[in-house]
């Protein structure tokens, strides 16, 4: 498959296929009961999911699988090529609709027929076809490159194996043996749905505290006023921020998730709920300058990471990923940061903000079916809020749930930086994009 078995097992063993088109290749043989088959009863020897991500003019290919008895026959490449052809044909149809729309001067038809295909210069832009695989999966990489895909990014992600070793983080038992902690989990949607997150503030320490990395965060990042953060209140606002950071700071332009990019749309109810509950936020470093770093006697003036703040921006998002089953918490934290200082600020806030914790509690209760919060206000959870934490991340009050972390790869893993000290997967998730010039 395009992920393989060596990645984070919860996510990579589950094919996310929500509203995706499933493409497959069959043989002329009749399938037995134990084999996957299509509506004609033929053996399905290769399958893949294909999703259009209209909001960012992209398409995503995932869960490429080949029957064990039919591998090394070029079927994966053939299937990928057919998906590329389908995406290009869809582009032709959209472009044809655009021509008709322009001819009839129907702006409403234009907006409906081409979400995202018109760039800022008013030019039709072909769909950006993306997929990913792990670094060790050389077979999949060869199949992708044969069709015209080239590597473009990685998605740095924390290792589930390392996270499960943290006290109170594993789903099965916080006192599990090392052997138990390293055992693979089922990872299916059905298994995930049977478990609800019942973690409380005392079950596990926040990520930075559990990893003993609070000291790697600068005093400036720790003391950043909460006023420097603002809630991203809509999907268009998030898309605008992502586009701005890509254009001005060289980020990938997408919100990183677990072996995927999280793109707003009808399929991403998890992101929609997070936005509604104030769990997607934006940080502007220039606000720090006026709010704190220019104050007389501020420690930030002697901080080597200090600058004027104009290059320090970050997007912070929390989503619940129900594919996760080996960790007690299913929360995923996504960070897009333009500097190490901005990354430190974002991760500190993610781990220690009582406001974030309060919002996570509320959404988690709703996800777990707690009717007492349905239709209520955020004030219902004030009992879980605290006034803050000390510089070591200690607090007697509620803190955010533990989470797995993915972040934008534009942040260099400089030796000694906070990002370089995190327990990242060694078998990296590599993102590929289709480029017909590579053929």
């Amino acid at each position: 498959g395009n992920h393989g078995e060596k990645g984070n097992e919860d996510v990579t063993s589950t094919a996310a296929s929500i509203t995706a088109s499933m493409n497959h290749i069959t043989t002329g043989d009749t399938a037995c009961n134990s084999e996957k088959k299509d509506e004609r009863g033929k053996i399905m020897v290769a399958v893949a999911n294909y999703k259009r991500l209209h909001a960012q003019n992209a398409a995503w290919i995932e869960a490429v699988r080949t029957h064990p008895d039919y591998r090394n026959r070029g079927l994966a490449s053939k299937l990928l090529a057919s998906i590329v052809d389908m995406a290009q044909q869809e582009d032709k149809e959209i472009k044809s609709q655009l021509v008709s729309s322009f001819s009839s001067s129907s702006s409403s038809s234009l907006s409906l027929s081409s979400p995202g295909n018109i760039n800022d210069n008013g030019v039709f832009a072909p769909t950006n076809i993306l997929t990913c695989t792990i670094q060790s999966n050389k077979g999949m990489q060869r199949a992708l490159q044969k069709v015209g895909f080239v590597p473009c990014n990685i998605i740095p992600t924390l290792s589930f194996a390392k996270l499960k070793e943290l006290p109170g983080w594993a789903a099965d038992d916080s006192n599990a043996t090392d052997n138990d902690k390293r055992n693979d989990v089922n990872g299916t949607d059905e298994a995930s749905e049977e478990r609800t997150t019942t973690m409380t503030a005392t079950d596990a320490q926040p990520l930075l505290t559990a990893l003993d990395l609070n000291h790697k965060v600068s005093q400036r990042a720790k003391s950043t006023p909460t006023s420097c953060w603002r809630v991203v209140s809509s999907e268009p606002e998030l898309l605008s921020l992502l586009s701005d950071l890509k254009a001005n700071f060289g980020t990938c332009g997408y919100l990183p998730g677990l072996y995927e990019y999280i793109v707003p749309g009808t399929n991403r109810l998890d992101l929609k709920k997070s936005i509604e509950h104030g769990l997607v936020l934006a940080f502007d470093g220039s606000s720090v300058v006026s709010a704190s770093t220019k104050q007389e006697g501020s420690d930030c003036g002697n901080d080597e990471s200090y600058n004027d703040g104009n290059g320090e921006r970050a997007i912070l998002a929390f989503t619940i990923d129900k594919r996760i089953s080996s960790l007690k918490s299913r929360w995923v934290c996504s960070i897009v940061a333009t500097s190490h200082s901005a990354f430190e600020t974002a991760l500190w806030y993610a781990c220690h903000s009582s406001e974030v914790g309060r919002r996570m509690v509320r959404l988690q209760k709703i996800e777990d079916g707690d009717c007492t919060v349905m239709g209520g206000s955020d004030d219902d959870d004030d009992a879980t809020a605290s006034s803050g934490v000390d510089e070591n991340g200690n607090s007697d009050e509620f803190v955010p749930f533990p989470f797995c972390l993915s972040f934008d790869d534009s942040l260099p893993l400089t030796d000694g930086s906070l990002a370089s000290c995190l327990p990242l997967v060694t078998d990296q998730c590599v993102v590929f994009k289709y480029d017909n010039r590579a053929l």
Side-chain angles (χ1 to χ4, degrees), residues 141-160:
Q141 292 181 37
R142 286 193 295 271
L144 288 166
Q145 292 168 347
K146 183 178 179 181
V147 176
F149 283 84
V150 296
C152 59
N153 296 97
I154 64 171
I155 303 178
T157 303
L158 299 190
S159 166
F160 273 48

Side-chain angles (χ1 to χ4, degrees), residues 10 66 102 113 138 162 180 214 244 308 316-317 320 340 343 355 360 378 381 410 416:
D10 294 333
T66 303
F102 280 123
S113 63
K138 302 302 182 183
K162 296 296 184 182
D180 290 336
N214 284 317
D244 179 57
D308 62 7
L316 176 63
I320 297 175
H340 283 289
F343 180 78
E355 180 63 23
M360 292 175 81
D378 287 344
D381 299 311
S410 62

Side-chain angles (χ1 to χ4, degrees), residues 23 25 45-48 61 64-66 70-85 138-149 434 439:
N23 297 265
I25 298 174
V45 297
V47 296
I61 301 172
V64 181
R65 302 287 186 267
T66 303
Y70 293 87
R71 291 174 181 170
N72 300 315
R73 302 187 187 185
L75 295 181
S77 294
K78 182 178 180 181
L79 185 58
L80 289 166
S82 70
I83 293 175
V84 169
D85 289 342
K138 302 302 182 183
M140 187 63 195
Q141 292 181 37
R142 286 193 295 271
L144 288 166
Q145 292 168 347
K146 183 178 179 181
V147 176
F149 283 84
Y434 177 73
L439 294 174

Side-chain angles (χ1 to χ4, degrees), residues 55-56 116 118-121 235-255 264 313 315 336 338 408:
Q56 292 189 266
I118 299 298
N119 63 23
D120 293 338
N121 298 321
E235 293 180 353
E237 183 181 0
L238 173 60
L239 291 171
S240 177
L241 287 168
L242 289 168
S243 178
D244 179 57
L245 295 192
K246 178 181 180 180
N248 295 303
F249 298 97
T251 63
C252 73
Y254 296 94
L255 189 65
R313 302 271 298 282
I315 298 172
V336 180
T338 61
D408 190 280

Side-chain angles (χ1 to χ4, degrees), residues 168-181:
W169 280 57
D172 48 5
D173 186 353
S174 61
N175 296 315
T177 65
D178 287 344
N179 184 58
D180 290 336
K181 292 170 185 174

Side-chain angles (χ1 to χ4, degrees), residues 291-305:
S292 64
T293 63
K294 294 301 184 180
Q295 294 178 3
E296 184 177 355
S298 170
D299 292 336
C300 300
N302 297 319
D303 190 339
E304 292 182 358
S305 65

